[in-house]
Amino acid sequence: MDSPFGLLAELTYRCPLACPYCSNPLNMAGYQDELATDEWRRVLVEASDLGVLQCHLSGGEPLLRRDLVEIVRDAHDLGLYTNLITSALGLSRPRAEQLRAAGLDHVQISIQSDEPTVSDRIAGIPSFRRKIEAMGLVKELGWPLTMNVVLHRHNIDRVADVLALAEDVGADRVELANTQYYGWAWRNRDALLPSRAQLEAAEVVVRAARERLQDRMDIIYVIPDYYSRYPKPCMGGWASRQLTVTPNGDVLPCPAAHSLPLPRASVRDDPLELIWAEAPVMTAFRGTDWMPEPCRSCFRREVDFGGCRCQAFLLTGDAARTDPVCYLSPDHDLVARAVEAANADSRNDDLPLVPRPHRPGLPLVACPRPARPGGRGSPC
């Protein structure tokens, strides 16, 4: 493809939760200078001109932006399909009704488990009840609802109950996404990686539920990369179909690429079209010319594109290496050892989880919004 069809707009990395599997950057202080409303408006216009059709509004917690309704309205007016990815903390009825009127198309709500105590423990704060109430509000207002559950060693055994919860709340789609090990999840990998027996048991449950619910609910199940024979085709290929704009305006080919030692590109410095076409962060691994062996001569080189560059960098220190998830990679033993440890009889299942820091005392928005003559008034 010559242009991306999806934009992940990470409006803020601030979040009331403290999930230990969060893939947001560890250096949160580097993203406090958030794009203002007018800057996001320009990004949306440039994204639309570039060919983007879908705008996914994420974070952190995007509801912490006072101007979220205005950003949604601008995206809608440009003809973009808008999807709010949220913990739902802060999704009050007045805010939800404003978002509905602004043209928001879809809501995806994360929840950590089906059981309140387990869910609240993983999230780091009491949140389960508010999430369930928010799901009811989403359905009442007529939105399609996706329920997202990040699976890991501490909740994957409850997948049958998680699916029952999805039925109870009337979810149209449920994402059962095993943890991908970036950010805080990378720091907590040894405590989060499930065993092979846990995965096999969960897959049986998911298959049965898919067959039973095929006419009522889409079920997406993503296994951990570490248990795959081949790597996933990350983002459909580097800088091929989607792009990410971070809270401070950095542009990335995927949400985890902030960890790579590549030159920075920012919407505060250059137009989005120029960044997409020419910025080194976008061109570094686009296509197949960059590939080393065994990828270069592999029949799958245009199927999985060498796997995940961020994962290769985290595991080997070299973003140009074959993703060690691949069994053909010369570094595959790095993954094999982690899997072996996760399945060891002597494994200690009380390994501590390092929670992602949350700062609930922060004001709802850090960036002032300049006055706009003739504007629509307060975005609150």
Side-chain angles (χ1 to χ4, degrees):
M1 298 182 66
D2 295 327
S3 62
F5 69 77
L7 166 67
L8 178 63
E10 296 185 320
L11 302 182
T12 180
Y13 285 148
R14 292 171 290 129
C15 184
L17 303 186
C19 305
Y21 51 75
C22 182
S23 61
N24 286 166
L26 301 182
N27 61 324
M28 300 292 290
Y31 298 90
Q32 292 180 353
D33 183 18
E34 297 176 2
L35 295 179
T37 313
D38 287 343
E39 290 177 300
W40 274 115
R41 181 176 299 111
R42 177 172 56 80
V43 169
L44 293 173
V45 170
E46 292 180 359
S48 178
D49 290 344
L50 190 56
V52 165
L53 301 175
Q54 301 174 357
C55 178
H56 304 277
L57 302 161
S58 181
E61 177 45 68
L63 286 166
L64 288 173
R65 293 279 305 214
R66 287 188 182 271
D67 56 356
L68 178 60
V69 171
E70 190 163 352
I71 291 172
V72 168
R73 184 181 294 114
D74 288 332
H76 175 75
D77 290 347
L78 288 165
L80 301 178
Y81 182 90
T82 50
N83 174 32
L84 178 64
I85 303 171
T86 177
S87 70
L89 302 190
L91 189 64
S92 63
R93 177 175 291 276
R95 196 82 181 280
E97 290 174 346
Q98 290 173 350
L99 288 167
R100 195 74 172 105
L104 182 67
D105 293 299
H106 183 275
V107 179
Q108 175 177 313
I109 295 178
S110 65
I111 196 163
Q112 285 64 37
S113 185
D114 67 289
E115 198 279 323
T117 303
V118 176
S119 184
D120 291 347
R121 175 171 55 81
I122 295 169
I125 65 168
S127 54
F128 179 86
R129 295 299 178 193
R130 283 182 284 175
K131 289 172 177 285
I132 297 299
E133 291 169 3
M135 290 182 194
L137 179 59
V138 165
K139 295 300 296 182
E140 179 187 334
L141 293 179
W143 273 307
L145 170 65
T146 292
M147 189 178 92
N148 173 270
V149 184
V150 177
L151 298 178
H152 45 79
R153 195 176 190 96
H154 299 265
N155 66 1
I156 194 170
D157 295 331
R158 305 188 63 88
V159 71
D161 296 315
V162 166
L163 287 165
L165 175 64
E167 285 189 80
D168 289 343
V169 299
D172 302 282
R173 183 171 180 268
V174 58
E175 289 185 359
L176 303 171
N178 273 279
T179 302
Q180 305 297 312
Y181 295 102
Y182 313 107
W184 294 96
W186 170 253
R187 178 172 287 189
N188 286 300
R189 184 190 67 175
D190 292 345
L192 292 171
L193 189 63
S195 69
R196 193 177 301 278
Q198 286 181 301
L199 282 173
E200 291 173 351
E203 287 170 3
V204 170
V205 172
V206 171
R207 281 197 300 270
R210 276 178 171 162
E211 183 175 349
R212 181 172 59 84
L213 299 170
Q214 58 184 323
D215 296 327
R216 285 186 284 158
M217 185 168 65
D218 290 333
I219 300 175
I220 311 300
Y221 181 67
V222 182
I223 68 170
D225 288 2
Y226 282 40
Y227 284 91
S228 298
R229 183 174 175 84
Y230 297 108
K232 65 179 182 295
C234 188
M235 306 299 292
W238 184 270
S240 173
R241 300 181 180 181
Q242 302 186 57
L243 55 82
T244 296
V245 178
T246 68
N248 68 344
D250 287 350
V251 184
L252 302 170
C254 78
H258 53 73
S259 63
L260 301 184
L262 291 170
R264 176 178 174 270
S266 173
V267 296
R268 283 173 164 159
D269 300 327
D270 293 299
L272 203 56
E273 182 179 12
L274 181 65
I275 293 172
W276 176 260
E278 300 182 12
V281 71
M282 292 294 171
T283 61
F285 303 110
R286 185 179 274 155
T288 59
D289 290 345
W290 62 271
M291 289 182 175
E293 293 293 352
C295 295
R296 181 176 291 273
S297 57
C298 181
F299 74 98
R300 291 181 57 88
R301 66 183 177 276
E302 294 188 14
V303 176
D304 57 37
F305 308 104
C308 178
R309 300 300 87 225
C310 305
Q311 191 157 257
F313 177 72
L314 284 171
L315 286 165
T316 73
D318 182 357
R321 300 281 287 182
T322 299
D323 188 339
V325 161
C326 183
Y327 85 104
L328 297 171
S329 166
D331 305 303
H332 182 64
D333 65 301
L334 297 171
V335 170
R337 288 201 300 268
V339 170
E340 182 180 0
N343 290 275
D345 292 338
S346 59
R347 178 192 155 88
N348 177 11
D349 276 332
D350 294 323
L351 291 173
L353 288 168
V354 179
R356 174 197 190 271
H358 64 94
R359 300 173 68 184
L362 281 173
L364 283 177
V365 67
C367 57
R369 184 174 70 89
R372 180 163 63 94
R376 301 187 182 98
S378 170
C380 301

